[in-house]
Amino acid sequence: MNKENNVCVVVDSGSSMRESSPEVKEREISILPLEVKFLENGTWVPYLDSELSADEFYNKMAESKILPQTSGAVTGRASKLYESLAKESDSIISIHITAKHSVAHESALLAANLVMEANPEVLIEVIDSKIVSIGTWFLAEKAALLSAEGYPLEDIKRLLLETVPKIDLITFLPSLNNLIKGGRVPALKGMIGNLLNIKPIIGFIDGQIRELSKTRTISKAKQELVSRFTGIKEEVVKLAILHTNNEEGARELQMDLASYYPGTIPVYEAGPVLGVHAGSGAVGIALLKK
């Protein structure tokens, strides 16, 4: 069987994309699902995030007293996917959410090595996006476009690694509840923050979640996002809005940003990876700079 010359592109579902997403089908990108685990009757029960709709996920999280866990242990699923794609192409690039908060990258790297050992003619490159959600998707989309243009694997890898530091994701959280449950904010500090109605603004620095600033109201949090964007708007070549179960807030931000950005600003619902940490109601921006 003759194989295609194009590089096959894989991205994990921490990118907030599903196999059914129109963008995924258009770019012919393969989605590697991650797991989210809920404590049910004393047992951690795993679900592929593709098995839960957004409404189901946020409803289950709201009902759970214990914060759900996300799992990037994808070695088995990744191996099967790479083996399947290796029948189509000898070149695969696999893009994953930040290795600082997920083992997806490490698990995919293990799977890639196993598949390459069994198939010496196949080359698989595994990329740490150092971000999550739509920021990770930006890289996958770029990889697919480069592949369609005939770029070889080594050039796609180089261009993606050059792009990683040019992607930002900035999000405001409606409360500190999930950060408290997840142990990322000490309980007492978090309780005081909630009493003071603090709305933290978070971002990623070298793959690590960091608090960038604090605001007191949702309206001021949105103003902060707009201000951060307008401060660098001349550098931005791609912009998207993401939210966790808050489309109304996302659409309001979309209207606010439309005055400053001439291009299309798509709105996406973030997947469980960001939803677990941010909680329901968060709104953020993902942007790619020159």
Side-chain angles (χ1 to χ4, degrees):
M1 181 181 70
N2 292 327
K3 295 187 178 182
E4 297 178 0
N5 292 324
N6 287 1
V7 176
C8 290
V9 179
V10 175
V11 67
D12 67 54
S13 58
S15 63
S16 299
M17 288 292 167
R18 296 171 180 254
E19 289 284 0
S20 58
S21 302
E23 299 91 339
V24 171
K25 292 181 177 180
E26 180 184 356
R27 303 297 184 201
E28 297 184 333
I29 296 172
S30 298
I31 301 294
L32 181 62
L34 303 181
E35 284 184 351
V36 58
K37 299 179 181 180
F38 286 90
L39 189 62
E40 299 177 2
N41 299 318
T43 302
W44 286 102
V45 179
Y47 297 86
L48 292 181
D49 53 11
S50 58
E51 295 174 338
L52 296 172
S53 69
D55 285 345
E56 288 172 331
F57 167 72
Y58 288 112
N59 287 339
K60 285 180 71 67
M61 186 166 68
E63 294 167 358
S64 177
K65 293 182 179 179
I66 304 297
L67 192 69
Q69 299 177 349
T70 55
S71 173
V74 297
T75 301
R77 290 192 297 278
S79 295
K80 290 180 181 178
L81 178 56
Y82 297 156
E83 288 278 7
S84 176
L85 293 175
K87 297 175 183 177
E88 304 173 16
S89 174
D90 288 337
S91 299
I92 300 168
I93 193 158
S94 194
I95 302 157
H96 300 279
I97 58 173
T98 175
K100 295 286 179 67
H101 290 285
S102 171
V103 298
H105 175 266
E106 181 182 354
S107 294
L109 192 58
L110 175 58
N113 288 332
L114 291 172
V115 172
M116 287 189 290
E117 185 177 338
N119 303 271
E121 76 283 2
V122 175
L123 185 59
I124 305 171
E125 294 287 359
V126 180
I127 303 293
D128 177 5
S129 71
K130 296 190 176 182
I131 208 154
V132 300
S133 192
I134 303 306
T136 303
W137 169 251
F138 281 174
L139 285 179
E141 191 173 40
K142 179 166 186 169
L145 290 170
L146 292 170
S147 175
E149 292 174 9
Y151 280 73
L153 180 60
E154 59 270 22
D155 286 349
I156 295 177
K157 176 186 177 181
R158 174 179 56 81
L159 291 168
L160 291 192
L161 292 178
E162 290 175 1
T163 303
V164 166
K166 299 176 182 178
I167 297 174
D168 282 335
L169 191 150
I170 307 168
T171 307
F172 83 77
L173 310 185
S175 79
L176 293 167
N177 290 338
N178 280 36
L179 292 181
I180 296 169
K181 288 182 180 179
R184 298 185 183 279
V185 172
L188 180 58
K189 180 181 177 182
M191 289 171 63
I192 293 172
N194 278 342
L195 286 172
L196 295 175
N197 206 27
I198 296 296
K199 312 296 181 190
I201 308 291
I202 64 167
F204 286 79
I205 298 176
D206 193 30
Q208 191 83 34
I209 294 176
R210 290 285 185 261
E211 184 182 271
L212 304 179
S213 62
K214 298 183 180 74
T215 59
R216 288 291 185 87
T217 66
I218 288 178
S219 62
K220 287 184 178 179
K222 290 180 182 176
Q223 290 173 15
E224 173 83 3
L225 292 183
V226 173
S227 176
R228 284 180 175 272
F229 169 75
T230 56
I232 58 170
K233 65 179 182 179
E234 302 302 328
E235 302 175 47
V236 176
V237 295
K238 194 175 186 66
L239 176 65
I241 295 172
L242 59 149
H243 68 92
T244 59
N245 200 30
N246 187 4
E247 184 171 1
E248 181 180 353
R251 294 296 177 186
E252 290 174 358
L253 181 60
Q254 183 188 43
M255 292 178 63
D256 291 340
L257 291 173
S259 302
Y260 304 100
Y261 185 73
T264 301
I265 309 175
V267 172
Y268 299 99
E269 181 143 39
V273 170
L274 186 60
V276 164
H277 298 296
S280 181
V283 176
I285 55 174
L287 52 89
L288 172 62
K289 294 175 287 188
K290 295 178 182 177

